[in-house]
Amino acid sequence: MTSQPVPLPTDPTELGIARAAAYFERFEPDKAASTLEPVLSADPRSAAGWLLLARVRLTLDQPEAALDAAKRVIELLPEDPRPLATASRALTMLGRHDEAITMAYRAVINEPENPFWHDRVAWALLAADRHLADAEQAARTAVGLDPNEAHYYFTHGVALDALGHTDQARQALLISLRMEPENPVAQHRLAMLDGPTRDDAPPPAKKRWSLFRRKKD
């Protein structure tokens, strides 16, 4: 039995978003942004379009634009945790930590069983360098909700290190690296815990890694 081809969207907005998403997945955020702009100009109530644009702007290190796009989604979908978490990331990048923490907790309240939002709370608190015990608890909650995701162990390791629990931090980072051995960010963090050696050298960045990005997201 042959599989049927997936039909392409016929709606102009959906088609434009699909094209922009394809560019984004190919690590071409500039093309994704330029594709989305006319789409959203023609259909400014497209929550999916604004949400994708917010993610693209974050990738382009444009947190103000990302925050503006995320706020458009929050207006359209006030109960959706995704734009709240995206806004939280943008606010963290802008140094507006109180607002970033609030947005992250709002995402958790709207969807408490999603580990990604707990992870965002942890990073918002870590970036603010405050309530580190709460950051560790949020990271631990994310691990408990999804124990098969390497990134959550990495976050937990960073939080434990911030609390001064070096041995526990090392164990969490080792678990993360067993799951994702080529992650240079985790490798570097573990090397910092272990102290410098003559053979220490930054690993080649063959893949795009982000402190805030899960493989599935």
Side-chain angles (χ1 to χ4, degrees):
M1 181 177 176
T2 58
S3 59
Q4 297 296 320
V6 178
L8 293 174
T10 56
D11 178 79
T13 299
E14 292 181 4
L15 183 59
I17 294 171
R19 287 173 175 164
Y23 283 128
F24 190 49
E25 290 299 317
R26 295 202 297 266
F27 303 114
E28 298 181 89
D30 288 309
K31 289 184 178 180
S34 62
T35 301
L36 280 169
E37 286 168 357
V39 171
L40 291 169
S41 178
D43 188 359
R45 294 193 60 78
S46 172
W50 286 114
L51 185 60
L52 179 56
L53 183 61
R55 295 177 60 200
V56 169
R57 294 300 185 194
L58 284 176
T59 302
L60 291 169
D61 292 324
Q62 299 171 353
E64 285 281 8
L67 181 60
D68 289 342
K71 285 181 175 179
R72 297 291 292 266
V73 189
I74 293 170
E75 292 174 3
L76 295 167
L77 301 173
E79 301 302 318
D80 193 323
R82 295 174 299 170
L84 296 169
T86 303
S88 175
R89 285 183 57 186
L91 288 162
T92 291
M93 293 171 69
L94 291 167
R96 294 161 59 178
H97 296 299
D98 289 337
E99 295 169 85
I101 293 167
T102 298
M103 285 288 190
Y105 274 118
R106 284 178 60 186
V108 167
I109 291 169
N110 284 3
E111 193 179 15
E113 297 303 312
N114 190 323
F116 194 51
W117 316 140
H118 293 276
D119 185 77
R120 174 85 284 273
V121 168
W123 282 109
L125 292 169
L126 287 168
D129 194 23
R130 67 182 70 158
H131 305 301
L132 298 179
D134 292 340
E136 187 274 332
Q137 181 178 352
R140 182 158 29 95
T141 299
V143 169
L145 289 168
D146 187 356
N148 297 314
E149 173 54 51
H151 174 74
Y152 298 146
Y153 290 96
F154 174 77
T155 304
H156 195 206
V158 174
L160 287 164
D161 183 32
L163 286 171
H165 303 325
T166 305
D167 290 339
Q168 295 177 53
R170 183 180 292 106
Q171 291 302 314
L173 291 172
L174 286 170
I175 294 172
S176 178
L177 281 167
R178 279 201 294 270
M179 295 178 171
E180 219 169 49
E182 296 182 2
N183 186 337
V185 181
Q187 289 173 352
H188 177 66
R189 195 82 192 201
L190 182 61
M192 290 174 62
L193 282 181
D194 289 337
T197 68
R198 289 183 304 170
D199 297 328
D200 281 345
K206 295 181 180 179
K207 297 174 66 177
R208 294 171 62 93
W209 298 95
S210 169
L211 293 179
F212 306 107
R213 179 174 177 270
R214 285 183 62 197
K215 293 176 289 186
K216 299 177 184 176
D217 294 287

